[in-house]
Amino acid sequence: MFLRKMIGSRKYRDQNPDDAGGGAKSLTAAEVAAQIQAAVDAATSGLKATNAALKAEKQALADKAKSFDGLDVEELKSFHAQFKDSEDLKLIKDGKIDEVLARRNAKLIEDTEKRIKAAQDERDAEKAKNSKFSQRVLNDSIRAAAINAGVHKHAIEDALLAARLDFTLDDEGNPVQIKDGEVVLGKNGKSPFSPDEWMAQRVETKPHWFPSGNTGSEQGDSNRNTGGKTIRRGAFDALPATERAKIAVTHRIVD
């Protein structure tokens, strides 16, 4: 609008020189150009300032966006939505960092104790299972020795109870006696003292375990019907304890 006025005024004075301000001096072309430039500068200065501000804001946003490189914005939004109402976040906003750390340490300790207890319970259950299996293997081995020695069927449980106090299983699952941390050897001085030898010693110390008038393998025969089946002692001793218990019932052991 200002430019239009200036250009219109100039055109009028050129066409009506006698009416130009009562004889005042007319503007030169350079003066008019200078006034036009001044008017343009005045009109566009606001736009330049606004443009500069927009550029600065755009650069600031770009610099801020760089700090989120590699981060999932949606994931951050979800994280914020999840914790914006949490008690920890409220405490952090209130500057109670130590309280937050104490709460989290307590939770960590609680979770750790739960995991330790679960592991201990699992270990104890496995230990009990192994102990039960080992006890059964030991019982079968002692029972086989008792039957082979001719222990009366009504005395076998007493023999088991007594022998379990003296025997344990080695790493191979064989019944052995341990004294002062060492395996007790049998009469041959080579192999471990066996339940068979232990039962043989009970003939003198526990005679009421054995039927009157029977000894050794003859006693065993009186407690079972072998059907004439026999097995060499070496082969019998080489069998696992559970198998010896079965064989002792169905076979007569011979040297």
Side-chain angles (χ1 to χ4, degrees), residues 195-231:
D196 288 322
E197 291 181 275
W198 187 90
M199 290 295 173
Q201 292 177 352
R202 303 287 88 74
V203 173
E204 298 295 333
T205 60
K206 300 286 186 180
H208 59 281
W209 286 0
F210 303 89
S212 177
N214 293 326
T215 58
S217 62
E218 293 178 358
Q219 296 170 5
D221 291 343
S222 68
N223 284 336
R224 63 186 183 276
N225 180 14
T226 63
K229 296 178 181 178
T230 61
I231 184 173

Side-chain angles (χ1 to χ4, degrees), residues 4-250:
R4 288 178 181 176
K5 289 181 179 180
M6 288 190 64
I7 293 172
S9 176
R10 172 63 177 168
K11 183 176 181 181
Y12 175 81
R13 286 194 299 271
D14 289 343
Q15 293 175 350
N16 303 279
D18 294 335
D19 295 333
K25 182 180 179 181
S26 299
L27 296 174
T28 64
E31 291 173 335
V32 171
Q35 289 185 12
I36 291 173
Q37 184 61 48
V40 170
D41 291 342
T44 60
S45 61
L47 293 175
K48 290 180 179 179
T50 300
N51 187 46
L54 289 174
K55 286 183 177 180
E57 183 178 355
K58 182 178 180 181
Q59 184 61 45
L61 290 174
D63 294 339
K64 187 175 182 179
K66 289 180 180 180
S67 64
F68 290 90
D69 284 349
L71 298 178
D72 188 331
V73 177
E74 293 302 322
E75 184 176 350
L76 290 175
K77 289 181 180 179
S78 175
F79 179 83
H80 181 266
Q82 181 180 357
F83 290 98
K84 67 179 180 180
D85 296 326
S86 71
E87 187 172 352
D88 282 354
L89 187 59
K90 292 177 182 178
L91 291 173
I92 291 173
K93 288 181 178 179
D94 293 339
K96 300 178 179 179
I97 306 298
D98 291 340
E99 186 173 342
V100 173
L101 294 176
R103 284 163 51 87
R104 293 189 176 181
N105 285 337
K107 184 65 169 60
L108 179 61
I109 292 173
E110 181 183 358
D111 291 343
T112 301
E113 288 177 345
K114 286 181 178 179
R115 289 196 296 269
I116 292 174
K117 186 179 184 305
Q120 288 177 338
D121 291 343
E122 183 178 356
R123 183 195 62 187
D124 292 342
E126 188 66 23
K127 186 177 180 180
K129 180 180 178 181
N130 291 337
S131 177
K132 185 176 181 180
F133 177 76
S134 297
Q135 192 65 54
R136 186 174 66 184
V137 172
L138 180 60
N139 285 347
D140 287 344
S141 180
I142 295 173
R143 182 177 287 106
I147 293 173
N148 184 54
V151 175
H152 194 283
K153 62 181 180 180
H154 297 301
I156 287 179
E157 289 302 319
D158 288 342
L160 284 175
L161 290 173
R164 279 202 300 260
L165 298 176
D166 289 344
F167 286 92
T168 186
L169 293 181
D170 63 12
D171 293 338
E172 302 298 326
N174 298 311
V176 295
Q177 276 191 327
I178 304 295
K179 185 175 182 180
D180 298 330
E182 298 291 335
V183 174
V184 177
L185 298 180
K187 61 184 179 181
N188 62 9
K190 297 179 181 179
S191 57
F193 182 76
S194 69
D196 288 322
E197 291 181 275
W198 187 90
M199 290 295 173
Q201 292 177 352
R202 303 287 88 74
V203 173
E204 298 295 333
T205 60
K206 300 286 186 180
H208 59 281
W209 286 0
F210 303 89
S212 177
N214 293 326
T215 58
S217 62
E218 293 178 358
Q219 296 170 5
D221 291 343
S222 68
N223 284 336
R224 63 186 183 276
N225 180 14
T226 63
K229 296 178 181 178
T230 61
I231 184 173
R232 292 285 182 181
R233 182 171 299 278
F236 176 79
D237 291 340
L239 292 173
T242 53
E243 290 299 318
R244 290 200 297 270
K246 297 176 182 178
I247 293 296
V249 175
T250 60

